[in-house]
Amino acid sequence: MSLLSNARKFGRIFWLSSPERQLLKEAQNAGTFDPVYYRGAYPQVHKLFQKFPLRHYIVYGESMGLRPNPDFSPMAYLRYNPDVAETGMSPLLHFSVGGRHEERVTKELPKVEELPQKDTPKLRFEGDRSVARFAIVMHIYYPDLWPEFAETLERLDFEYDLYVTLTYRGEQTDDLAAEISAKYPDATVVSMQNRGRDILPFMNLLNAGAFDKYEAVCKIHTKKSPHREDGDVWRRHLINGILPEENLDQMLETFVADPKAGFWVADGQHFTGLEWWGSNIEMTQSLLRRLEMEIDGSYLSFPAGSIYWVKPSILRLLKALHLLEAEFDVECAQVDGTVAHSLERVMGFLALAADQDILQTTQLETRKPTARTGATPTFTSAFYLPQFHPIAENDAWWGKGFTEWRGTITAHSMFPGHTQPLLPSDLGYYDLRVTEVLGQQAELARDAGIDAFCVYHYWFDGRRVLEEPLDRLLARPDVDFPFYLCWANESWRRNWDGLSGTVLLEQTYAKGFEEQLVNDSLPYMQDARYQRPDGVRPRFVIYRPEDMPDPKGSVERMRDAWRKAGIGEVELGAVCFHISGESAVEDDVFDFWIEMPPHGMVTGEDYLFGGPQGNQLNRPVAGGFEGLVYDYNKVIKNSVSESYLENMPDNTICGVMPSWDNTARRGLSAHIAYGANPASFGHWLDEVKAYRIEGSYRGELFINAWNEWAEKAILEPSDKYGDQYLQVLKSRIATSSAEDVQEQVA
């Protein structure tokens, strides 16, 4: 074609007829044309036309059958709406002006295939197995596309583990599975029933632990799109977008190294805008509430097409939904409103919650790796509860064999989305008389960046309770368990809150108690594992100094007793409690104070239930529930607000909590921080790093808590979230600098 002819063809898009000008106006006003989608879907369109995509569509694209957005086929619109075809009007113009309000069919409806039934095999993947850095997960619905997919795999020059799921069609599928296994003997090849599209097979592998150890997972499927005239071109665009023939290694390393990158999709596959909700809002909302995440339908951003690279942080949240096969709709060629359709939208909210971006290929090509900002703690501690073994006192007060586990397992959900009970996984229902458990806990904590456990020390005027775990530890120098003590000097009361109720074990502060308490602490302080965060002084914490009759005098007598005992100077701290005790304590009495969320962080405006505004949960609660529910995410904001910080002592160690919910202890009177999950905990850590660590005492961080299971303040692995809390903590405390990230992808 001559240069002049090309110029005329390009110039034509600026000389629109009257109907074409009307389409230009109406499509812009109605938002029925998606330029990002159009450019990404049709890369064959000349780059000059790509600058004016709507004009190209009006003059050339519509007659070629190109789509203005993923859910509108001009050819199908005319075929299913013959009255429109009879008018001779542009299908998109008709749709933009009025058709979009009339529930008309806008794309080819898929056909339902009658396929043989197939029970999904029970899958399990061992956590200690050796894996590559990456996994490629492929679902094959159309067997005839396997050669094309095999060709794609053959050109990949990086190491990966292959997982292939096949929609079962009988003997044909058995033969294909054998062929794939012969070609890729190390691949996992599984046949499954035709249910949940490509999503359920992926979830089955995810839930079985298949993807637990990968740095990134690539998900593709045989997207033939028979309802599209350009289905083959479109499929190749989606797959080649994330497995390009050029620069794949570099782009993949950039994606992996960037902590802000959550999804990688082909150009045109990051959908935004409320028009993509369809009939999926309620199901999406219900699914996200399983993670205590709330949405109202006013925002939507998600990776469309179900073909992408995805990071572990999002996969872990997806796994925590605990979706079962029975929850997926039986395949009836539904075009919207199924669990599979809703999960596609859920992905976007998981990325948002994890503070990660959905990147398209061209964005990733120019992406400069970033690192999470903020100061890294110099020392990180976590409160540690030893009440996981029976003692005579608890047997008498609460029943034979009572430990913290009894309440934990009997907790009940108080409203839809309330994640109770939360139960242990990796460490099981441990007994802390087994000292090896302490070593296992320390190993998990150390890997996540925790330097020491602050262990509650129960001492009542010479009477010790719950002392056995630490005393057994002293006899086992081979168990590496870094710790220091926090004297839990509250009286024990029957209703667990330490403030009211029948007294079970009273703290009396008899004359001379300070020297006795110091003498009791000596065997622990003399142990090599007892922590000295400043490198010199052993650390000791008092939980409620305001309860002592003479806090300042008692502290001075304790310091003097430690000196006389040969310990020397002790770094002495106290907890900032939210309710004042009988005796005021000056800030400088202690070397430091410990911020202990949620104490003092909840305001009247933060309550979702039980506060001045009544029920803000927008759902019913259990009958008889008289507790309090407040917004975990608002507590995060409070923790960095000026109004809150101005009342904190200058020498305070800033604190965070993974969650808080004492339903297991208080039942219908529980206090619940709603909205706590590993993603929101990560957000709190980011806020603390950005605004609090530099002003924190010695740059330290305190976590409430490691194992308060009956208050759901736990970092330990759970059946709901696995080790996500620990992984989130590790990612923040051991974050690479931006320069380190650049080196990884250079």
Side-chain angles (χ1 to χ4, degrees):
M1 189 178 291
S2 68
L3 183 62
L4 179 59
S5 178
N6 281 333
R8 286 175 177 170
K9 186 174 182 180
F10 178 67
R12 169 69 178 83
I13 67 173
F14 299 103
W15 295 91
L16 301 180
S17 65
S18 178
E20 290 171 341
R21 289 197 300 273
Q22 184 185 7
L23 174 54
L24 180 70
K25 176 183 176 182
E26 295 295 343
Q28 289 174 332
N29 291 340
T32 53
F33 182 83
D34 184 342
V36 175
Y37 165 83
Y38 194 75
R39 293 188 186 100
Y42 307 111
Q44 70 272 25
V45 174
H46 194 280
K47 61 182 180 181
L48 288 177
F49 289 116
Q50 292 269 11
K51 296 180 180 297
F52 307 95
L54 177 52
R55 288 177 176 269
H56 178 272
Y57 174 82
I58 292 170
V59 177
Y60 303 112
E62 188 165 73
S63 62
M64 297 166 59
L66 306 188
R67 292 177 169 228
N69 66 63
D71 273 356
F72 188 89
S73 164
M75 301 303 184
Y77 194 74
L78 295 177
R79 186 159 51 254
Y80 285 104
N81 302 283
D83 59 318
V84 179
E86 290 174 2
T87 67
M89 182 185 292
S90 156
L92 184 60
L93 176 57
H94 182 276
F95 180 70
S96 300
V97 172
R100 60 195 175 99
H101 304 300
E102 299 170 358
E103 297 185 357
R104 290 177 178 261
V105 177
T106 62
K107 57 186 178 182
E108 201 71 55
L109 298 178
K111 296 178 176 60
V112 180
E113 289 190 84
E114 292 290 340
L115 298 178
Q117 293 298 310
K118 170 74 173 181
D119 290 335
T120 301
K122 298 295 183 183
L123 301 173
R124 178 174 178 148
F125 297 88
E126 300 298 334
D128 58 353
R129 64 198 175 100
S130 178
V131 301
R133 292 178 62 198
F134 308 112
I136 295 180
V137 187
M138 175 189 304
H139 179 66
I140 299 178
Y141 179 82
Y142 299 105
D144 58 299
L145 289 180
W146 163 247
E148 178 185 314
F149 278 56
E151 184 178 327
T152 298
L153 295 176
E154 286 173 2
R155 64 175 172 78
L156 301 180
D157 59 0
F158 63 90
E159 290 188 13
Y160 60 88
D161 292 331
L162 179 63
Y163 298 83
V164 182
T165 57
L166 305 97
T167 297
Y168 190 66
R169 297 171 178 271
E171 185 177 343
Q172 180 187 25
T173 302
D174 294 334
D175 292 343
L176 180 56
E179 178 185 342
I180 296 172
S181 296
K183 186 175 181 64
Y184 297 95
D186 294 327
T188 297
V189 183
V190 186
S191 299
M192 299 183 179
Q193 65 171 309
N194 185 26
R195 188 170 187 162
R197 313 273 168 106
D198 57 291
I199 303 293
L200 176 55
F202 185 80
M203 292 298 299
N204 281 333
L205 290 170
L206 175 69
N207 291 338
F211 312 140
D212 287 352
K213 299 175 67 176
Y214 295 105
E215 296 180 38
V217 173
C218 175
K219 180 186 176 301
I220 60 179
H221 61 101
T222 55
K223 193 178 182 70
K224 197 174 243 186
S225 301
H227 55 286
R228 293 182 59 122
E229 293 76 12
D230 61 339
D232 290 340
V233 174
W234 180 236
R235 176 185 65 255
R236 294 185 185 111
H237 167 71
L238 297 186
I239 295 176
N240 290 339
I242 63 170
L243 293 172
E245 295 188 23
E246 297 180 359
N247 300 323
L248 173 57
D249 288 352
Q250 183 175 352
M251 294 175 68
L252 186 53
E253 292 299 334
T254 298
F255 175 70
V256 169
D258 191 337
K260 288 281 286 180
F263 282 99
W264 170 12
V265 297
D267 289 342
Q269 289 306 103
H270 179 194
F271 285 13
T272 58
L274 303 185
E275 66 272 20
W276 302 117
W277 266 121
S279 57
N280 300 290
I281 293 178
E282 291 186 2
M283 177 63 73
T284 303
Q285 183 182 63
S286 177
L287 291 172
L288 287 169
R289 280 182 175 173
R290 296 186 179 196
L291 307 179
E292 295 195 3
M293 295 181 185
E294 288 293 319
I295 61 169
D296 59 11
S298 62
Y299 170 85
L300 184 60
S301 164
F302 65 100
S306 202
I307 292 176
Y308 44 67
W309 280 96
V310 59
K311 285 283 190 64
S313 53
I314 294 173
L315 289 174
R316 294 187 193 109
L317 289 171
L318 186 62
K319 187 177 181 181
L321 292 174
H322 287 196
L323 271 168
L324 303 176
E325 183 172 294
E327 297 181 76
F328 283 80
D329 307 81
V330 174
E331 186 56 45
C332 299
Q334 304 95 320
V335 296
D336 204 14
T338 69
V339 170
H341 288 105
S342 297
L343 268 177
E344 194 172 18
R345 287 148 181 83
V346 162
M347 300 292 186
F349 288 101
L350 297 185
L352 177 67
D355 191 27
Q356 292 186 314
D357 299 329
I358 301 169
L359 300 177
Q360 299 181 112
T361 301
T362 52
Q363 293 174 308
L364 192 63
E365 287 174 341
T366 58
R367 179 87 165 185
K368 292 184 178 179
T370 58
R372 296 190 184 279
T373 58
T376 300
T378 60
F379 195 89
T380 299
S381 304
F383 283 113
Y384 182 96
L385 182 69
Q387 191 166 221
F388 294 92
H389 65 288
I391 60 174
E393 291 84 352
N394 278 335
D395 283 352
W397 296 328
W398 307 105
K400 192 75 173 175
F402 176 88
T403 73
E404 191 82 349
W405 295 125
R406 180 173 296 179
T408 301
I409 64 175
T410 57
H412 297 288
S413 175
M414 295 296 168
F415 51 86
H418 178 208
T419 54
Q420 281 284 16
L422 189 70
L423 305 175
S425 59
D426 296 25
L427 297 174
Y429 297 93
Y430 51 73
D431 185 327
L432 289 183
R433 293 173 298 184
V434 180
T435 307
E436 284 78 8
V437 172
L438 279 71
Q440 294 168 354
Q441 292 171 317
E443 184 178 359
L444 289 173
R446 190 179 304 109
D447 182 66
I450 295 173
D451 297 290
F453 295 113
C454 181
V455 181
Y456 287 119
H457 184 67
Y458 297 96
W459 185 92
F460 298 86
D461 291 324
R463 180 178 178 179
R464 287 290 310 281
V465 292
L466 298 175
E467 75 282 3
E468 194 168 357
L470 279 188
D471 286 354
R472 287 178 177 243
L473 177 70
L474 295 184
R476 290 287 303 277
D478 58 306
V479 177
D480 187 5
F481 184 84
F483 73 100
Y484 55 91
L485 300 179
C486 173
W487 178 33
N489 61 315
E490 284 183 320
S491 295
W492 277 19
R493 303 176 187 272
R494 185 161 292 280
N495 63 353
W496 289 99
D497 62 6
L499 298 174
S500 59
T502 303
V503 175
L504 301 174
L505 193 55
E506 189 173 9
Q507 194 70 254
T508 62
Y509 307 102
K511 184 177 180 179
F513 80 88
E514 298 92 348
E515 185 175 355
Q516 293 181 55
L517 175 62
V518 165
N519 288 337
D520 189 76
S521 73
L522 295 179
Y524 306 104
M525 286 191 175
Q526 291 165 349
D527 188 273
R529 292 159 294 189
Y530 199 91
Q531 293 298 290
R532 292 165 165 75
D534 67 356
V536 179
R537 297 173 295 173
R539 175 173 284 185
F540 191 87
V541 176
I542 299 177
Y543 188 66
R544 289 282 289 156
E546 302 94 335
D547 287 357
M548 296 188 294
D550 177 19
K552 184 175 182 178
S554 290
V555 167
E556 290 176 352
R557 287 187 285 274
M558 291 172 68
R559 290 186 187 276
D560 188 54
W562 273 311
R563 295 187 193 103
K564 290 179 179 178
I567 296 298
E569 297 302 319
V570 171
E571 186 184 34
L572 201 57
V575 174
C576 286
F577 210 68
H578 66 302
I579 296 178
S580 300
E582 296 182 0
S583 307
V585 184
E586 297 298 323
D587 291 352
D588 60 358
V589 169
F590 291 92
D591 297 308
F592 64 92
W593 293 82
I594 298 170
E595 181 181 40
M596 190 181 190
H599 298 318
M601 289 188 178
V602 185
T603 71
E605 297 179 354
D606 305 331
Y607 287 104
L608 299 171
F609 184 90
Q613 299 178 16
N615 187 353
Q616 300 294 305
L617 285 168
N618 298 317
R619 76 204 81 158
V621 300
F625 180 69
E626 298 177 345
L628 298 172
V629 182
Y630 53 88
D631 191 331
Y632 178 91
N633 290 288
K634 287 187 177 180
V635 173
I636 296 175
K637 293 181 180 179
N638 295 342
S639 73
V640 295
S641 68
E642 291 185 10
S643 59
Y644 168 74
L645 293 176
E646 65 186 12
N647 295 315
M648 298 295 294
D650 291 337
N651 55 336
T652 299
I653 300 177
C654 65
V656 296
M657 65 180 186
S659 177
W660 181 268
D661 179 349
N662 57 15
T663 303
R665 289 184 174 176
R666 303 190 63 180
L668 295 173
S669 299
H671 293 185
I672 301 166
Y674 180 71
N677 55 58
S680 53
F681 177 59
H683 177 58
W684 197 338
L685 291 170
D686 288 337
E687 292 292 285
V688 163
K689 289 183 63 177
Y691 302 108
R692 296 290 309 278
I693 290 296
E694 288 188 356
S696 181
Y697 174 75
R698 295 186 63 249
E700 293 191 33
L701 174 67
F702 228 100
I703 303 172
N704 182 32
W706 172 262
N707 64 339
E708 286 272 12
W709 281 93
E711 292 178 340
K712 215 170 83 171
I714 57 102
L715 290 172
E716 290 181 329
S718 69
D719 65 342
K720 175 72 174 177
Y721 293 114
D723 66 349
Q724 286 189 60
Y725 277 106
L726 293 172
Q727 292 298 329
V728 166
L729 181 63
K730 180 179 180 179
S731 71
R732 268 57 175 192
I733 290 181
T735 299
S736 300
S737 67
E739 290 78 9
D740 293 335
V741 175
Q742 282 283 15
E743 288 180 6
Q744 292 179 45
V745 299

